Amino acid sequence: MNCKTKKLTTIGMLCALAYIAAAIGRIPLVLFLKYDPKDIIIVIGGLIYDPLASLIITLIVSFAQMITTSQTGILGFLMNVISSCTFACTAAFIYQKKRKAAGAVIGLLCGWGGMIAVMMLWNYYIAPIYMGYSREEIAKLLLTAFLPFNCIKGGLNAGFTMLLYKPVVTALRRSNLIESAPSDNENKERIRKNIVDNPTNKENKISDINKNFNEKIRINKGIFSIAFVIILLCIVMIYCLK
């Protein structure tokens, strides 16, 4: 299976998973607003490949929703595309520029904030058209319903993405659907071989290897802590709203 076929297969699988998540994973949060976890799958696709992958998955899933489960037609389709792309494409774009753990975290947090801002504008200007509410009624709901909903939605998406990205990528690599990355032990062995061939500053190089490995472990623990705090805050917000 060549690289293009693997990519198409993986994106198709992510589209199917995102649609299933949107169709059966809808959880009521605030009034009539329901949360579904499809954006987690969409942003994982973008982090694996690029922002274009997130856009493609979003368009396919949103169109499938529009013709099957959605009751808001083309406006609902546009709302899904704008919301998911703002979150997922922003995160993937930033991660593409800085392909490190910190880049992924920064990207997810920026996507979260951008999604909140964009959806607040959407809800104020467009929601009255398809909801049948006056703009004054929508304005009253902005701070009491739409803002907390989007904060919770974006927070859960960001937090669970931080927790799930690594296991998903590992599973895809073991399935040979995406390129495998060298393990830490393989990297260490390669660098140690270079040290044997070039023994200059041997002690400093070995120290740097161990330091980088330990730093990676600390970063993973840091990401887990950040994700746990975000998810916990979202749960507290849900409890307060209930």
Side-chain angles (χ1 to χ4, degrees), residues 147-179:
L147 179 59
F149 171 76
N150 286 310
C151 286
I152 294 169
K153 176 183 176 180
L156 291 175
N157 288 337
F160 281 114
T161 301
M162 292 178 195
L163 295 179
L164 295 175
Y165 174 70
K166 191 67 175 177
V168 170
V169 169
T170 300
L172 290 173
R173 282 176 176 156
R174 288 178 178 174
S175 303
N176 200 31
L177 288 173
I178 61 176
E179 293 298 322

Side-chain angles (χ1 to χ4, degrees), residues 7 29 32 39 44 47 54 66 69 77 79 86 93 117 127 146 155 159 180-181 202 205 228 234-235 239:
K7 184 174 181 179
L29 286 184
F32 51 85
D39 286 354
I44 286 176
L47 295 176
S54 286
M66 182 181 70
T69 61
F77 169 80
M79 178 179 67
T86 302
F93 176 79
F146 292 116
S180 297
K202 180 177 178 180
K205 290 181 179 179
F228 178 79
C234 291
I235 293 173
Y239 178 78

Side-chain angles (χ1 to χ4, degrees), residues 21 44 62 96 116 118 137 140 149 169 176 182 184 187 201 204:
I44 286 176
S62 298
Q96 192 176 42
I116 293 172
V118 168
E137 290 174 310
K140 293 177 182 178
F149 171 76
V169 169
N176 200 31
D184 292 316
N187 280 332
N201 296 327
N204 290 336

Side-chain angles (χ1 to χ4, degrees), residues 54-128:
S54 286
L55 175 61
I56 291 170
I57 298 171
T58 298
L59 290 172
I60 293 173
V61 174
S62 298
F63 181 77
Q65 282 184 273
M66 182 181 70
I67 62 176
T68 56
T69 61
S70 176
Q71 298 177 344
T72 52
I74 188 66
L75 289 176
F77 169 80
L78 291 174
M79 178 179 67
N80 283 326
V81 170
I82 291 171
S83 175
S84 296
C85 283
T86 302
F87 174 70
C89 293
T90 300
F93 176 79
I94 293 174
Y95 182 60
Q96 192 176 42
K97 298 298 181 182
K98 187 177 182 180
R99 296 194 71 86
K100 295 182 179 180
V105 172
I106 293 170
L108 289 168
L109 294 179
C110 289
W112 180 11
M115 187 269 291
I116 293 172
V118 168
M119 292 313 296
M120 289 293 283
L121 290 174
W122 170 274
N123 288 318
Y124 180 72
Y125 287 107
I126 309 298

